[in-house]
Amino acid sequence: LRLTWGECGQPPTLNHFQLVRIPALAGRYYMHRRLRQRHREHRQPGHWLAALSPLPTKTLIQLHSRFQRTFVPHGHVPDYQDWIDANEQHDPAIQRSRARTLNRQPHFSLLLPLARYDVTRLQRLLDSLQQQTYRHWELCIACPAGMEDGLQWPGLGERVRIVASHDAIEALPGAALALAEGDYIAVIGGDDALAPDALLAIATAIDDHPDWQVVYADDDRIDETGKRHHPHFKPDWNPEQLRSHDYIQRPCFLAGDLVVRAGGLDARAGEAQEYDLLLRCTTLAGDGRIGHIARVLYHHHAPADIDDRALAASLYPGETGRAALEKQLQQDVPGTRVRACQEHYCYRVDYPHPQPLVSLIIPTRDHHAVLRTCIDSILERTDYPDYEILVVDNQSSDPATLAYLDELAATPRVRVLAYDHPFNYSAINNFAAAQAKGEIIGLLNNDTEVITPDWLDEMVSLACQPENGCIGARLYYPDETIQHAGVTVGLWDIAGHSHRHLQRGTIGYYNLPNIRRNTAAVTAACLLLRREIFDEIDGFDCMFKVAYNDLDLCTRIRKTGYQNVFTPFAELYHHESLSRGNNDSSIKRRQQQKEKKLFLKKHKEEALIDPFYNCNLTSTDEDYSLKI
């Protein structure tokens, strides 16, 4: 028995604990269900049936042993060093041989602006450069005048170029860039280090993807003793997240001609120069030319006791970054403003947008008190001026509910629609959408409760952006823990909610619960999208009566070319499943299993690959812990 939480998370508060004996069949079922996430053979029908059938003692022991080896390696909770040992192998001879087989062998210019340096850390950086198995690179150093005499390293020979600058410190990156002659350019730090095969990995990716003009990889932290810690496993290209904070950082390699077209490094951006250049380069390159390598190739210097808040702050380029982001966005959308949310270490983009009519669709059945809480919270706490509420009654029979529905029918902004058919979530929402008057369709559970008055304006502003599809909100359980902060596909059997049960206000994994970002999907418990997109994909698929309907909707919308977005700035409580109940009956479970199979058949296994979730993170939990 063990309790675990994410490496960067906070220990949970345990108020009640009870051990309950479960039947042997249930034990086999849960073990097998988890093993299916890691071992493909356990997904075969034969294995599934065998797990639910009486098994010989020897077979049970083998099943339990495999479970132990998979989820409790070495008899202790796995840490980052376990992950390094299991995933990183370095054979210089093999890597040098691989380097010689590349069709394209780009030359790299590594820019090292040095205002000051620590001798020990700088030597560590130089050692990491000398260990590179890919040899086509140069080091371009810019330092204040008078420092250059101490920066001579015979072992690196002609690879090093040094310029002494009499200008301000902010001009050093630009001075280093002026020395560069490489095909790709990257800025590095004098306190940091590169993985031994970092340049080979970048060169291989460029050889495999010649159209990539921006290439970035994962990183971690390294302390004075050389111990690595706090890995940052990043998503693939995530434009909305880059507008929230600089999640890419280092290592990031930019095509030399792209840097020239973008205008190079701008000293006026100060400490945000790299972020400023990255914003301009990614805009010029376009989505299809930005690539991510899901490997740790760079080590930032940081003490081992660095906390989550300091990690979040390290991705936040401050006021100069805010100004750079606003300037870049205004070129495409004049009138865009960017707010610096310093308490959350992120930016919040305010897009200029119209205020179209929003049709909020709320299916319901009985439980009038739950519905009343939802409706009252909308009417009393919503600042957005133009919306209508469509309450869809699905065969309510409770007299108090029927009386409340009559009361709602006489309420301005509210219409009550009767759906006198068996429950089918998809059909109910399609029925209501056909009668909605709004340009924006809003899906809302009857067991939600509005918290932030600007929730609807926030979601509408994102829904109005032409590239966006579904917009999802941050939802909390009544105990102030997160219920939804974006949907990650590939977790558990199909999908899970990011950072579920994390305490409200907690940083989480590199601040992800607190920033806008693109996600594979969002929950329909609170979801907005443009009417034209809803109609373009013919609404919900009515085959998904109970489960996976929102996941199917978001998946189809993403396949159409739109981006789904999670925003933490629209906040609601979600008193989950109070009206319909949990999926705890055998009938509901069978229906859910049927719709799961339907989803997988419809979208195939590629639908379980989430570009916004790193493959080095667990697929059996929602806390962004490591996959061991």
Side-chain angles (χ1 to χ4, degrees):
L1 176 68
R2 64 188 173 109
L3 299 177
T4 64
W5 50 91
E7 178 162 327
C8 296
Q10 296 295 321
T13 300
L14 190 62
N15 297 317
H16 178 72
F17 182 78
Q18 183 178 13
L19 285 174
V20 179
R21 182 180 295 277
I22 62 174
L25 180 63
R28 295 202 303 273
Y29 168 80
Y30 286 116
M31 280 196 294
H32 183 78
R33 188 176 72 173
R34 291 202 68 195
L35 284 168
R36 290 180 72 223
Q37 309 301 320
R38 299 291 183 89
H39 302 292
R40 184 175 295 275
E41 61 267 27
H42 281 268
R43 301 174 195 171
Q44 302 303 317
H47 278 271
W48 181 254
L49 294 174
L52 299 181
S53 305
L55 297 175
T57 301
K58 181 178 179 180
T59 307
L60 278 173
I61 292 173
Q62 291 173 344
L63 177 66
H64 185 261
S65 176
R66 185 164 204 187
F67 183 89
Q68 289 290 101
R69 291 195 309 271
T70 301
F71 296 106
V72 195
H74 317 305
H76 70 280
V77 178
D79 61 11
Y80 185 40
Q81 188 59 51
D82 291 324
W83 184 92
I84 293 172
D85 295 340
N87 291 277
E88 293 188 358
Q89 297 177 351
H90 178 60
D91 188 323
I94 293 176
Q95 291 169 358
R96 282 193 292 268
S97 176
R98 186 182 305 156
R100 289 192 292 269
T101 66
L102 298 179
N103 295 318
R104 183 183 179 189
Q105 300 202 351
H107 187 72
F108 297 127
S109 293
L110 305 176
L111 312 185
L112 179 58
L114 276 180
R116 54 189 174 275
Y117 64 90
D118 178 281
V119 173
T120 302
R121 297 174 195 165
L122 184 58
Q123 188 60 51
R124 181 175 61 193
L125 170 66
L126 296 173
D127 290 344
S128 75
L129 291 175
Q130 288 179 313
Q131 294 168 5
Q132 294 300 309
T133 50
Y134 184 82
R135 308 305 295 170
H136 301 290
W137 58 269
E138 63 181 7
L139 180 61
C140 303
I141 302 176
C143 63
M147 186 189 290
E148 67 274 16
D149 293 338
L151 302 177
Q152 304 297 327
W153 303 285
L156 294 176
E158 296 180 356
R159 294 182 186 279
V160 180
R161 300 180 180 189
I162 302 177
V163 61
S165 173
H166 293 276
D167 296 326
I169 290 175
E170 290 79 10
L172 291 179
L177 176 60
L179 298 175
E181 296 181 351
D183 302 306
Y184 283 77
I185 293 164
V187 182
I188 59 176
D191 291 341
D192 305 334
L194 277 72
D197 61 340
L199 298 183
L200 175 59
I202 300 292
T204 302
I206 292 170
D207 190 51
D208 293 339
H209 306 277
D211 56 334
W212 282 6
Q213 293 191 312
V214 178
V215 187
Y216 66 97
D218 301 334
D219 59 62
D220 62 12
R221 272 63 185 162
I222 188 168
D223 66 11
E224 295 288 357
T225 68
K227 180 178 175 60
R228 292 166 52 191
H229 56 97
H230 289 91
H232 185 192
F233 290 115
K234 307 167 187 176
D236 288 349
W237 172 231
N238 195 315
E240 198 64 51
Q241 185 170 343
L242 189 63
R243 297 180 198 126
S244 298
H245 65 193
D246 183 9
Y247 80 92
I248 290 180
Q249 288 201 317
R250 301 168 183 169
C252 181
F253 287 73
L254 307 172
D257 60 341
L258 179 66
V259 172
V260 172
R261 287 194 292 129
L265 289 157
D266 187 349
R268 292 171 296 181
E271 295 182 357
Q273 287 185 61
E274 292 175 57
Y275 181 57
D276 172 48
L277 178 60
L278 180 61
L279 291 169
R280 287 181 276 128
C281 285
T282 51
T283 300
L284 286 174
D287 293 351
R289 297 191 172 192
I290 303 169
H292 168 230
I293 304 170
R295 290 183 55 195
V296 175
L297 300 181
Y298 194 90
H299 315 303
H300 296 269
H301 174 77
D305 60 353
I306 187 171
D307 62 15
D308 296 349
R309 194 161 293 278
L311 289 170
S314 71
L315 306 183
Y316 175 64
E319 172 57 26
T320 51
R322 185 210 64 78
L325 177 60
E326 184 173 273
K327 179 180 178 181
Q328 182 61 41
L329 291 175
Q330 284 184 347
Q331 293 181 10
D332 296 326
V333 185
T336 301
R337 292 287 181 265
V338 178
R339 281 183 269 174
C341 301
Q342 295 182 356
E343 69 278 16
H344 298 302
Y345 305 108
C346 69
Y347 303 120
R348 181 177 179 179
V349 180
D350 293 329
Y351 299 100
H353 64 279
Q355 292 186 323
L357 175 66
V358 179
S359 297
L360 298 174
I361 298 172
I362 306 177
T364 194
R365 178 173 179 171
D366 295 326
H367 297 278
H368 73 284
V370 174
L371 179 62
R372 183 184 293 275
T373 298
C374 175
I375 299 294
D376 287 351
S377 74
I378 297 171
L379 295 176
E380 295 171 5
R381 301 175 194 162
T382 301
D383 289 345
Y384 190 82
D386 200 5
Y387 65 91
E388 63 171 357
I389 301 174
L390 279 64
V391 177
V392 190
D393 175 31
N394 182 208
Q395 300 178 325
S396 292
S397 57
D398 171 50
T401 300
L402 296 176
Y404 179 57
L405 291 174
D406 289 340
E407 176 186 332
L408 284 178
T411 303
R413 294 185 183 272
V414 181
R415 284 191 282 156
V416 177
L417 308 177
Y419 184 81
D420 192 18
H421 303 282
F423 178 82
N424 181 320
Y425 180 84
S426 298
I428 290 172
N429 282 286
N430 287 347
F431 165 77
Q435 302 179 63
K437 300 176 182 178
E439 297 176 43
I440 302 288
I441 298 293
L443 310 174
L444 203 60
N445 277 18
N446 67 341
D447 52 2
T448 55
E449 180 183 355
V450 171
I451 299 174
T452 49
D454 64 343
W455 72 282
L456 194 52
D457 188 73
E458 163 72 6
M459 298 182 75
V460 169
S461 73
L462 293 169
C464 287
Q465 302 312 305
E467 70 275 13
N468 289 342
C470 295
I471 312 300
R474 180 160 57 178
L475 306 180
Y476 300 103
Y477 291 113
D479 66 356
E480 301 290 339
T481 62
I482 290 175
Q483 188 268 340
H484 172 265
V487 172
T488 301
V489 300
L491 295 187
W492 308 113
D493 288 343
I494 289 186
H497 285 189
S498 168
H499 291 91
R500 193 202 299 259
H501 298 300
L502 189 71
Q503 191 67 37
R504 183 178 182 179
T506 305
I507 293 293
Y509 189 75
Y510 282 90
N511 212 21
L512 293 183
N514 305 304
I515 62 170
R516 286 178 184 162
R517 66 188 197 280
N518 297 117
T519 54
V522 293
T523 179
C526 181
L527 182 156
L528 257 67
L529 76 164
R530 297 195 301 278
R531 174 65 174 262
E532 63 190 61
I533 299 177
F534 189 82
D535 291 342
E536 181 180 346
I537 63 166
D538 297 323
F540 281 100
D541 183 342
C542 292
M543 296 294 290
F544 296 97
K545 300 177 182 179
V546 174
Y548 306 110
N549 28 60
D550 49 4
L551 187 58
D552 171 73
L553 180 80
C554 290
T555 301
R556 287 186 288 128
I557 284 176
R558 194 156 58 87
K559 286 181 177 179
T560 306
Y562 298 102
Q563 297 277 17
N564 300 318
V565 179
F566 158 75
T567 174
F569 303 118
E571 297 179 292
L572 299 88
Y573 289 114
H574 186 197
H575 309 276
E576 190 176 28
S577 301
L578 287 180
S579 178
R580 191 172 58 85
N582 293 308
N583 291 325
D584 53 3
S585 72
S586 59
I587 295 176
K588 291 178 181 178
R589 285 199 300 269
R590 284 197 297 270
Q591 181 65 30
Q592 189 173 27
Q593 288 297 319
K594 177 182 177 181
E595 293 178 9
K596 180 199 303 181
K597 293 177 181 178
L598 174 63
F599 180 87
L600 293 174
K601 181 179 179 180
K602 180 176 180 179
H603 295 290
K604 312 302 179 186
E605 286 206 2
E606 65 265 20
L608 301 184
I609 300 174
D610 191 332
F612 309 116
Y613 187 74
N614 195 292
C615 61
N616 293 297
L617 298 172
T618 181
S619 59
T620 56
D621 213 330
E622 297 160 314
D623 62 356
Y624 282 73
S625 54
L626 298 174
K627 178 186 288 185
I628 302 292

